[in-house]
Structures are given as structure tokens and as C-alpha cells.
Amino acid sequence: MIDWTALSSQLTTPVQVTDVNLWLQQCVKPFDYVSRSDVSASLGAVSNYELFEQSSGLCMQSASCAFTNCTSGPFRDAYEPFAPLGNLAFYQSVQLDPNGVFPVLTDEEITMAASLSEDSQLPAAAVHPEHPGDVSAAVRFAADNGLKVSVKTSGHNWMGSSTRKGTLLLNLSKLRKYALPELPSGGIFECNTVGAGDDGGIVVVEPRVGTMDEDMYYFSESVTAACKIALARGKPAIMRAGGGQIVDEGLRAVEEWNSDPSRPPFHAMTGAAGTVSLAGGWLASGGLGGPLNMRKYGVGVDQVLYVEMVLPDGQFVRFGPSTWTPAEGNQLYPQTTSVKGYCIAEDTADLSDESTWSWVDCTDQYGFDDLWFAIRGGGGGSYGVITSIYYQLHDKPGNIQGVYWPETLFRIDPSMSSEDKDTVMIEMIKFVFNFLYNPDKVGVSVDASNSCSAPDSPITLDCYNGAGQAFVDAWDQYFGALETANMISGAVPTPRLEEFSSYAARAAPSHYNGRVQDGPKGEVLFGGDTCNALVIPIDVLKTKFDAFMDLYIPCFFDTIEASFAGTPETACLTQNFTPYFYGGDIQFASDGTDAYPPHRRNGALHMYVLHEDVREQFKKLIWDVEENAETYSNGDFPGVFCHNHLFYTTSPKKSNWLEDCNGSTPDGSGTPLTDDDCMSLQEAAFGTETLRRLEKIHSKIDPLRMFQTFGWSWIC
């Protein structure tokens, strides 16, 4: 029997032992069509803000994610006869319409499954730490009592990885926050320099800082260390975020900072969904930020300068690069050569008071070089608990310009011949891909090309530094030339262009209480039946462009036709139909010591290809496999999936990389992912070499495997 009161006595906020009835009310009933809120009715889904702010701390973005891999439990079973494909937002506790599509699930059926089912992944108890001392006490208590630990902030995960059965759940949403919209100077620091020091390095003058209140001064050694790295990178400022802060808070803090004309304006490269954690699974998976100029600045892991965290043995540490070499050639940032770490001094009694923190060098005690590698891209919830993270801030790159190019596909002159319409649509697609990956072919600069990117949303391309206008101008010139050459008859519509001061300004006003949009929004059943996205290398878009288009364009049109026909199950791509665009300068943004795997670092995009035969053809293109080959494998697996958007659905076979195991086919005919011939999702997403190193690091830093996040499946 676990003595939870003993742990409560060590914490700021008492332990909450899991109560399935409270979980039902807070985390499931919001999805009940019978009692859904007005906000949920207007959204057609449940806001993640509503879910993660519940007091229990148990809610995930999908109710089904309280069960194994988000693909089991009562919701999956109930929906199977209705819609075996696709996400579904609500269920009914009482039958409202005998002909309706919502299955009926009673409260008793749901709570019984949560209490008794082997698939239930509810933790034994949850704690809400408010400062590093709380985290340390909880971790040490778990070790002393033989408990595993799960970690989450908002539960924004598509495999349910941040909740595990029988664990002690650390919900970080109440951890101390720093950069906030109501007081951005509590976590945003300008960095200044006065030239070179005795060792030739940069001397940092005390950064300009603010206070959270009259009693707490937040300047620290970590701020100085982070500023030193920022200045070496040519960056003007840093942002400190607490381990439980979300994207919404960080972006709106920067927006508020920029509203003061006496301050220099900055830009943060973060995730796009407002409820994603700034220091959690988003970052640990690499950190994509389609609308935030990532093709210019790099992904999330490339923004990190310094870290404070609690390790699996309960030790509170801070660490970051201590030496580096200057950037050379195309490299965006200096290359880290060593990492130094400090442990909180044993005589620091009260970790809730930062003014009393005292540090001692413990670089030799822990492998900080390995930790610096692992926490930046090596998977979430596995190496300890980040309590503060320090991001570089960029000089503001002008306003964000949204280029609404996909809608032009449906605004083509109806008087055009069918043949000309097809030509125009094909050329539109080719133009977009060439703009991003072969800009010289459409007459734009590399800088303009790299200033645009987008998530897998068929709405806009998001651009900075005037690159949206450069796109539109090049588009008009490109299609004007086609018309002049009589390759098409009639004008092609110009893409609509909208401009906002920032992504936060664009994404916040029309969404939940003025906060940055949260997406995908909460649904009772999420994810389960799609395939995993293929990452296509930049090299393919540069050297095999025509071969790629020969596969992509028919797949694209097939998806459009399926959408109009109302038969999404026959589509070649998911209904977003546009890829997640990256590439650009991301390939040059590493500091040389991160776990962001090479296939993603050098990737151009990822996309969900649903037709197995077409997926196989794309894989052949990726790995230079002969067209008539039926099988292919070649030593260590290089990786092919995106860890930021990963489902427990498909994974390559070890014996034949061209084929996927698929345990979620509607007819049950696929090879389940538990089969011996199926790669783990981690190997498919990280690649064999990167995963081997991560496994060794994890075994060393967490020998008890307390932080073995659900879904981890190692090579050995």
C-alpha cells in the first residue's frame, strides 16, 4: 500500500489519488453530445484548453487516450460499426436519435472500463508540482516505492504517451511560469555585450530583466549562460519558459513585449498549437513550427540554449553548452564542443525561493553532453523533468503573410477547357514545390523561399520578411508567361494575401477566449486508423523532382476527387491533402549535438500516403530502390517517420522496408505492430543509429527505467 500522505507532506499541493468518477466528469463528459458546452458545440469538438485546465490533471486531448495507444477501450469498440475510419468528436450518454451516428455509452460502461480493463492507462495518482523541489520530492518518492513516472502538461499526444497505468503522474501545468502575457519581462531578457574577455569569449553584461512581483527577482546564472550562447549566435534576447508553460503563453508574452514601442521587437520559433508544451513532448520530438518561420531559424531543438531539470535520481541540475566553435559555411549556429552542468547545492533547503539557489559544478558526475543530446529530439518523458528552458529569440522578421494558394485551385476560370484546367492545376502544384525547394526555377531568392513554410493544412503558406508578396509576384509572372506562350488559355487567379503583425495575432482572436488556436481539437476518438507520415528527403525534391511529381500529382487529384465524392476512405492522401513543408535552412541549424535524426534534419516534407502501393513507390524513391524490386532492406534503418506526428498504427517490416505492419486495418487483416517482424515506432522515427545512442543514454541516466514512457520499444 502506497502512503500518499507521506508524499503530500513534502509537496506544495497534495497528491490526488486517481478517481475514475472525477476523470469521467472532467475528461469524458465534455465529449458527451448530450451535455456538451456551447463552446464545444460551436467548435464541433472540445477545446484542449478546457481539458488540460481540469483540476484532476488526468485529461488527454482524446478520451480514448486514457486507454492503450489511444486505439483501444470502450470508445473504439463503440465506434467501430459507425465509422472505422477517421476521428470522431462526441458520443452520447442517452440515445437522442435512433438514426444518429453517435454510439451510446453509459457512465457505468466507461468507468468500468477505466477501472477494470487491461487497456486502461490511468495513473495511480497525480501530483501538480509548483517548483523544482516538488518535482524532486515526487521523483524520489516514486523511486523509493517502486513506482514508474509519467509526465505531461496538456496531454497533447496522439499515442497517449503522457499517461501510464499505475504510475505517479507529474502534471506540470502548475509549475512556476516566467514569460507570460501579463508580464513578459518576467521571462524575456535582452542580452548585451561589451566585447571580448580575457579568453577571447564574449563578456555578458547583466541582462535587462524584469520581476514577477516585488519579492522575487528572476535573474540567475542560467540567464547569463543562455545570453552568452545567444550572443555567440548573433541573437539579441532569450525567453525563459517554465517546464509546464504552453505555446499560447510564450507567443502572447512575445506579442505583449513587442507592443511596447520602447522595446526592440522579437520573434519566437515555437509550435503552432496553443496548448502544446514549450518544454515537453513537442520539443522532445524535435519541435515543428510550420507557421513560425522554422525553415529560416531551424526547428524547436535548435532554439534551445540552456536547461534546468530534475533527473531520475531526483537531482536538480542546470546545464548547457560551455564551449563551441564558430559557425562555418552554411551552418546557422556555432557548433557545441562541450557541455557543462551544475547541481543544486545540498545546503539549498528551499527550492521554491530562487534567490537562495546555490550551484556546484557536477559535470563529472553526470553525462551532460549525452543529456544535451537526448533532451533535444530524443523523445519525451524519458530522461527526467525539465523545469525551465531557455529559448533564443530572433529579431522580428516583419509581419506574417498568409498566402492562400490552395483556394486558387477552385477559382480557375470556368470557361477554360478541361485540358487547360488540368494543366493549370498541375503547374500550380509544381510552382509551390519549386518555390520551396528549387526557387531559382521560379525566379525567387533562396532567402525568400526559406522564409515560407506551412503545416499540413490546406489553407496557407506562412511567410515572413515580405516573402509572401515575393510568392505572389513570382506566381503572377510564372502563369502570365504560360498564358503568353499559349500553354493555357485564360488568366490564372492570383493567390489571396493576408498580413498580420504576428502568428499570435492571427491565430488568437477568433479562438478560445482570445488564446492561440489549439489544434487538433479534442475528440472522443482520435487518430487510430491513419498511417504514419513518410518523410521525403530534400534530395528527392532537388534531384528527382519529376519522379516525385509523377507520384504526387495523381495522388493529390485522387484525394480531391474522393473529398468531393464523399468517400474519404478511397483517398490517396489524408484530407489535409497538402504536406507539412519544412526543409530550407533546417538542415544547417543544428549545433552538432542534438538527437534530431538525419532523415528529418535533411527532410523536405512529410505526408500521409494512404494507398499501400503508392507508399511503396515513394519509399523506393527515398531509398533509390529499383522500380521492379519487391523487397528491400539494407542494414541499419535510416528512419522514415516524423516523431512529432506519430500514431500507433503502421511501422515498416524488418524483413522488407517497403511493406508496413498495420494493426489497425478495418478488416483486421494487417500485421499487428507487436509482430516480431515489425520495427518499433521509435526505430522507424529515429533510425537505428540514433535510437541505439538514446537507449544507452536512457539506461545510464535512468537505470531503474522509471521514466520509460509508454510506447518506448528499444532495439535490444
Side-chain angles (χ1 to χ4, degrees):
M1 178 71 73
I2 304 296
D3 184 3
W4 298 115
T5 58
L7 176 57
S8 292
S9 68
Q10 304 174 55
L11 304 177
T12 307
T13 303
V15 177
Q16 291 181 274
V17 177
T18 296
D19 179 344
V20 293
N21 291 306
L22 183 60
W23 166 76
L24 174 75
Q25 293 303 317
Q26 294 190 351
C27 308
V28 180
K29 298 303 282 186
F31 298 101
D32 186 350
Y33 190 84
V34 176
S35 57
R36 62 181 177 166
S37 67
D38 291 341
V39 171
S40 296
S42 65
L43 292 175
V46 179
S47 169
N48 291 312
Y49 286 107
E50 179 181 350
L51 294 169
F52 96 85
E53 290 171 349
Q54 298 291 343
S55 62
S56 68
L58 299 175
C59 302
M60 301 290 289
Q61 93 169 30
S62 169
S64 65
C65 287
F67 298 87
T68 302
N69 298 323
C70 305
T71 61
S72 58
F75 308 106
R76 169 67 53 182
D77 295 340
Y79 265 112
E80 206 67 47
F82 292 90
L85 296 173
N87 305 336
L88 295 158
F90 302 106
Y91 76 100
Q92 290 182 163
S93 57
V94 178
Q95 184 71 63
L96 297 180
D97 179 1
N99 299 314
V101 297
F102 300 106
V104 175
L105 284 167
T106 66
D107 292 354
E108 183 179 11
E109 287 175 315
I110 296 170
T111 55
M112 285 288 286
S115 301
L116 303 177
S117 170
E118 292 183 359
D119 288 321
S120 175
Q121 291 298 324
L122 291 178
V127 298
H128 288 81
E130 297 186 18
H131 57 79
D134 286 341
V135 177
S136 180
V139 169
R140 286 183 166 132
F141 180 89
D144 291 343
N145 287 273
L147 291 167
K148 302 290 186 182
V149 175
S150 52
V151 186
K152 78 182 180 77
T153 296
S154 62
H156 194 284
N157 183 280
W158 297 352
M159 293 195 299
S161 296
S162 52
T163 182
R164 282 193 66 203
K165 186 173 188 172
T167 59
L168 177 60
L169 171 65
L170 304 187
N171 185 301
L172 306 185
S173 60
K174 292 185 180 179
L175 261 182
R176 180 169 293 144
K177 302 174 188 291
Y178 300 94
L180 289 166
E182 51 267 32
L183 192 61
S185 59
I188 294 177
F189 306 90
E190 295 180 63
C191 301
N192 305 287
T193 180
V194 291
D198 294 338
D199 60 355
I202 292 173
V203 175
V204 179
V205 176
E206 181 176 301
R208 174 179 172 182
V209 301
T211 57
M212 288 292 285
D213 55 48
E214 294 179 357
D215 300 318
M216 182 59 71
Y217 189 58
Y218 276 100
F219 172 73
S220 68
E221 294 95 332
S222 298
V223 172
T224 299
C227 263
K228 186 174 182 179
I229 303 165
L231 291 169
R233 291 172 164 224
K235 300 303 175 184
I238 64 172
M239 178 175 72
R240 184 186 187 188
Q245 287 197 238
I246 57 174
V247 162
D248 167 74
E249 293 165 333
L251 288 182
R252 289 197 295 119
V254 174
E255 181 78 357
E256 184 62 29
W257 173 281
N258 291 347
S259 69
D260 184 342
S262 70
R263 293 167 169 163
F266 301 134
H267 174 86
M269 207 313 288
T270 70
T275 53
V276 164
S277 171
L278 285 167
W282 170 80
L283 182 70
S285 291
L288 297 181
L292 278 302
N293 215 14
M294 70 175 181
R295 297 181 77 243
K296 189 72 174 173
Y297 301 132
V299 294
V301 298
D302 304 321
Q303 314 307 309
V304 178
L305 305 176
Y306 212 77
V307 173
E308 294 165 5
M309 68 184 294
V310 174
L311 300 180
D313 65 357
Q315 179 64 259
F316 180 39
V317 300
R318 64 177 176 89
F319 58 97
S322 54
T323 62
W324 49 80
T325 57
E328 296 181 353
N330 291 326
Q331 293 172 345
L332 294 189
Y333 306 124
Q335 300 297 285
T336 296
T337 53
S338 64
V339 177
K340 192 168 188 176
Y342 298 85
C343 295
I344 199 72
E346 291 183 5
D347 60 358
T348 304
D350 184 7
L351 291 184
S352 69
D353 182 359
E354 295 196 17
S355 67
T356 69
W357 289 2
S358 177
W359 300 93
V360 294
D361 187 341
C362 59
T363 300
D364 295 335
Q365 184 176 348
Y366 296 100
F368 287 109
D369 292 278
D370 283 340
L371 270 174
W372 184 245
F373 172 86
I375 64 166
R376 295 178 309 129
S382 299
Y383 312 100
V385 182
I386 292 176
T387 58
S388 280
I389 198 153
Y390 295 77
Y391 279 90
Q392 65 182 5
L393 294 178
H394 309 270
D395 290 314
K396 190 172 186 289
N399 295 339
I400 183 173
Q401 294 180 322
V403 183
Y404 291 78
W405 75 269
E407 67 183 35
T408 60
L409 292 164
F410 309 106
R411 291 197 289 117
I412 298 173
D413 187 346
S415 65
M416 273 190 186
S417 67
S418 296
E419 184 177 349
D420 276 359
K421 287 179 183 177
D422 288 346
T423 298
V424 167
M425 293 180 76
I426 291 170
E427 291 300 324
M428 284 179 173
I429 295 168
K430 288 183 176 180
F431 175 89
V432 172
F433 280 82
N434 273 322
F435 177 90
L436 293 171
Y437 304 111
N438 303 294
D440 57 310
K441 292 187 177 181
V442 294
V444 297
S445 68
V446 171
D447 186 68
S449 170
N450 290 348
S451 295
C452 294
S453 56
D456 44 356
S457 171
I459 301 174
T460 68
L461 199 63
D462 299 305
C463 304
Y464 294 83
N465 286 318
Q469 188 62 56
F471 180 102
V472 170
D473 292 344
W475 174 286
D476 286 344
Q477 184 174 357
Y478 183 86
F479 286 102
L482 291 182
E483 185 179 6
T484 300
N486 294 318
M487 294 180 64
I488 57 173
S489 58
V492 172
T494 298
R496 180 165 58 93
L497 189 70
E498 285 190 356
E499 189 165 322
F500 294 85
S501 63
S502 68
Y503 173 73
R506 185 184 79 183
S510 62
H511 291 81
Y512 192 75
N513 288 346
R515 292 185 284 189
V516 174
Q517 66 175 341
D518 60 319
K521 295 177 176 62
E523 297 176 313
V524 69
L525 183 65
F526 183 77
D529 293 308
T530 192
C531 62
N532 278 306
L534 299 177
V535 176
I536 308 297
I538 293 173
D539 178 67
V540 167
L541 273 298
K542 289 187 174 297
T543 65
K544 308 173 190 175
F545 187 84
D546 290 340
F548 174 84
M549 284 296 156
D550 286 345
L551 290 174
Y552 179 76
I553 288 174
C555 203
F556 181 93
F557 282 122
D558 175 272
T559 304
I560 297 292
E561 291 172 5
S563 178
F564 279 114
T567 56
E569 67 275 7
T570 68
C572 182
L573 303 170
T574 54
Q575 292 304 290
N576 288 341
F577 72 76
T578 54
Y580 200 122
F581 292 118
Y582 29 95
D585 278 338
I586 292 173
Q587 60 186 318
F588 308 122
S590 174
D591 75 338
T593 58
D594 60 76
Y596 199 59
H599 76 282
R600 293 182 65 194
R601 177 67 68 185
N602 299 301
L605 55 89
H606 72 244
M607 58 184 181
Y608 300 92
V609 183
L610 303 178
H611 291 177
E612 291 184 11
D613 58 332
V614 182
R615 283 171 67 82
E616 182 176 312
Q617 291 303 311
F618 274 115
K619 287 181 180 181
K620 289 180 177 179
L621 202 60
I622 292 169
W623 296 318
D624 287 319
V625 181
E626 293 182 5
E627 187 174 347
N628 61 352
E630 295 183 1
T631 62
Y632 177 76
S633 62
N634 187 20
D636 285 352
F637 189 69
V640 74
F641 290 164
C642 169
H643 198 270
N644 269 109
H645 298 133
L646 198 61
F647 297 93
Y648 190 83
T649 51
T650 56
S651 191
K653 291 184 176 181
K654 299 173 185 177
S655 60
N656 182 9
W657 298 356
L658 301 177
E659 291 186 6
D660 282 338
C661 298
N662 186 345
S664 63
T665 52
D667 61 1
S669 62
T671 303
L673 269 64
T674 54
D675 191 273
D676 289 342
D677 193 31
C678 301
M679 285 185 199
S680 70
L681 287 172
Q682 285 70 28
E683 189 169 4
F686 289 122
T688 308
E689 184 177 352
T690 299
L691 184 57
R692 274 204 195 100
R693 182 176 177 187
L694 291 172
E695 181 182 14
K696 291 178 181 178
I697 295 170
H698 184 263
S699 296
K700 181 179 179 181
I701 198 68
D702 182 20
L704 298 179
R705 290 289 174 95
M706 290 171 57
F707 285 82
Q708 191 175 348
T709 301
F710 189 84
W712 268 110
S713 180
W714 306 95
I715 296 172
C716 300

